[in-house]
């Protein structure tokens, strides 16, 4: 069965495709961190082939680097198929349809940046931009997963002031996590991970000498991580006190659990001198926190639209 012949009459098939995309992207981000942590980024010196073939011998660093490429190719196929399904199933929701096309474009640009990182021998700026694009795509896939979920338009209403806090707080938290994650990518790609070899102090001080760029980058990552953790605690506390909708409460608790794990993994990464497991899981936790933050913000959009907000998001649909 070709992509164009896929059935469109199975309810929720496109939603399951978007959910699979989100989970696949999380796995891909984890795998990308493993590639860097194992120093396998240039194990395949050419692109898009690896030593001139699409099926190299999968040993050593080639295993991780080429596996990362294959999983990335699988992501493009899954999302492209889901986009076709969404276009056929949701003619009344142009926002979802065009956001899907935007996602395909992001994946193609992301692929180009992945190739540039290899051909230009891992320049810091392009490698960090490659990570930032991956997070942007993850955010888009998460929004599409949320707004196409079963019963999206029938979920419990939240009073408008609460919806506004959820929408604003979730959006601000998303921006913080994105900035923290991109800064973490800069720490990784500039080899600043051990610029502060002790923790929670940095070179034995609460505020280290910031004249050195590597130290300043590492310390900024820690500082923004603290701000992000406090933001998660504040938003979770508000939701648990003021919001009764079970879905939003679960998301807020999920964000709290993930940020605790994220901080612990950050400590472990320094303590164990950037060992592969804690560093890679640290990246995965950051991506998971970003996805949860996007989902919280999306929940605020839904509740705002339910109360006739004139700035309603087009992804909600004409009858939201």
């Amino acid at each position: 069965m070709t992509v164009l012949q896929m059935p469109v009459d199975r309810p929720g098939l496109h939603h399951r495709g978007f959910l699979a995309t989100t989970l696949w992207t999380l796995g891909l981000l984890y795998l990308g961190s493993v590639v860097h942590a194992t120093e396998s980024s240039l194990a395949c010196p050419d692109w898009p082939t690896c030593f001139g073939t699409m099926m190299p011998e999968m040993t050593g660093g080639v295993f991780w680097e080429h596996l990362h490429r294959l999983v990335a190719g699988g992501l493009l196929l899954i999302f492209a198929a889901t986009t076709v399904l969404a276009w056929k199933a949701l003619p009344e929701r142009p926002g979802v349809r065009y956001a899907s096309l935007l996602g395909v474009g992001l994946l193609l640009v992301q692929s180009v940046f992945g190739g540039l990182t290899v051909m230009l021998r891992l320049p810091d700026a392009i490698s960090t931009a490659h990570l930032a694009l991956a997070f942007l795509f993850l955010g888009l896939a998460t929004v599409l997963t949320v707004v196409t979920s079963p019963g999206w338009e029938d979920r419990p209403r939240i009073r408008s002031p609460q919806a506004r806090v959820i929408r604003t707080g979730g959006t601000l938290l998303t921006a913080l996590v994105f900035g923290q994650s991109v800064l973490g990518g800069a720490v990784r790609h500039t080899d600043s991970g051990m610029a502060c070899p002790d923790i929670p102090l940095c070179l034995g001080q609460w505020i280290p000498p910031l004249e050195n760029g590597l130290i300043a980058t590492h310390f900024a990552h820690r500082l923004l991580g603290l701000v992000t953790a406090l933001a998660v605690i504040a938003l979770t506390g508000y939701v648990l006190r003021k919001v009764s909708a079970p879905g939003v409460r679960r998301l807020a608790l999920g964000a709290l659990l993930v940020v605790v794990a994220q901080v612990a993994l950050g400590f472990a990464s320094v303590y164990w001198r950037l060992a592969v497991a804690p560093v890679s899981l640290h990246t995965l936790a950051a991506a998971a926190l970003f996805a949860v933050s996007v989902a919280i913000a999306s929940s605020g959009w839904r509740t705002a639209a339910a109360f006739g907000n004139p700035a309603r998001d087009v992804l909600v649909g004409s009858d939201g």
Side-chain angles (χ1 to χ4, degrees):
M1 180 178 292
T2 66
V3 169
L4 293 179
Q5 294 173 326
M6 285 184 177
V8 298
D9 56 347
R10 291 178 58 187
L13 188 58
H14 56 281
H15 165 69
R16 289 193 287 273
F18 288 133
L19 177 60
T21 296
T22 300
L23 296 175
W24 195 283
T25 305
L26 287 170
L28 184 60
L29 280 161
Y30 171 76
L31 189 55
S33 185
V34 172
V35 168
H36 186 271
T38 57
E39 299 183 350
S40 304
S41 301
L42 292 177
C44 294
D46 48 339
W47 184 88
T49 57
C50 182
F51 292 101
T53 177
M54 296 302 295
M55 295 300 294
E57 184 178 352
M58 300 291 278
T59 58
V62 171
F63 173 83
W64 294 112
E65 168 63 5
H66 197 61
L67 178 63
H68 180 252
R69 294 185 186 185
L70 293 175
V71 172
L75 176 63
L76 180 58
L77 293 176
I78 290 172
F79 190 73
T82 303
T83 297
V84 172
L85 290 171
W87 267 80
K88 291 186 174 183
L90 302 172
E92 77 287 357
R93 298 183 68 181
V96 172
R97 300 170 89 197
Y98 288 110
S100 300
L101 285 183
L102 175 61
V104 173
L106 271 175
L107 283 179
L108 293 175
V109 173
Q110 170 79 341
S111 299
V112 171
F113 270 78
L116 288 174
T117 60
V118 174
M119 293 186 291
L120 299 179
R121 320 305 288 180
L122 308 180
D124 295 341
I126 291 179
S127 296
T128 303
H130 184 58
L131 178 69
L133 286 169
F135 270 79
L136 288 175
F137 177 78
L138 174 63
L140 180 62
T142 302
V143 171
L144 289 169
T145 300
V146 171
V147 302
T148 59
S149 59
W152 162 254
E153 296 171 358
D154 300 322
R155 290 181 180 177
R157 311 305 199 196
I158 303 175
R159 289 189 299 109
S160 186
Q162 297 173 353
R164 189 159 46 248
V165 173
I166 293 171
R167 183 174 68 253
T168 304
T171 301
L172 289 175
L173 180 58
T174 296
L176 278 173
V177 178
F178 179 77
Q180 166 73 350
S181 301
V182 173
L183 188 55
V187 169
R188 182 169 76 186
H189 295 298
T190 58
D191 293 324
S192 305
M194 293 306 299
C196 294
D198 47 342
I199 196 166
L201 301 179
C202 179
L203 300 175
Q205 303 176 56
W206 287 110
I207 302 179
L210 302 177
E211 295 82 5
N212 183 287
L214 299 183
I215 295 174
T217 301
H218 185 111
F219 185 72
H221 180 60
R222 288 191 186 185
L223 191 59
L224 188 55
L226 176 61
V227 173
T228 301
L230 292 175
V232 170
I233 293 170
L235 184 58
T236 301
Y238 176 86
V239 169
L240 295 181
R241 283 183 288 108
K242 300 290 187 180
V243 179
S244 60
V248 180
R249 291 171 67 89
R250 284 194 296 268
L251 286 171
L253 284 172
L256 184 61
L257 292 174
V258 173
V259 82
V260 170
Q262 172 77 341
V263 171
L265 288 165
F267 273 66
S269 296
V270 174
Y271 183 80
W272 277 297
R273 299 294 188 263
L274 306 183
V276 174
V279 167
S280 302
L281 290 172
H282 187 60
T283 299
L284 177 60
L289 181 60
F290 181 72
V292 173
S293 302
V294 170
I296 291 173
S298 300
S299 298
W301 299 341
R302 171 66 187 115
T303 53
F307 283 87
N309 189 323
R312 60 185 297 169
D313 195 280
V314 294
L315 293 178
V316 171
S318 59
D319 57 349

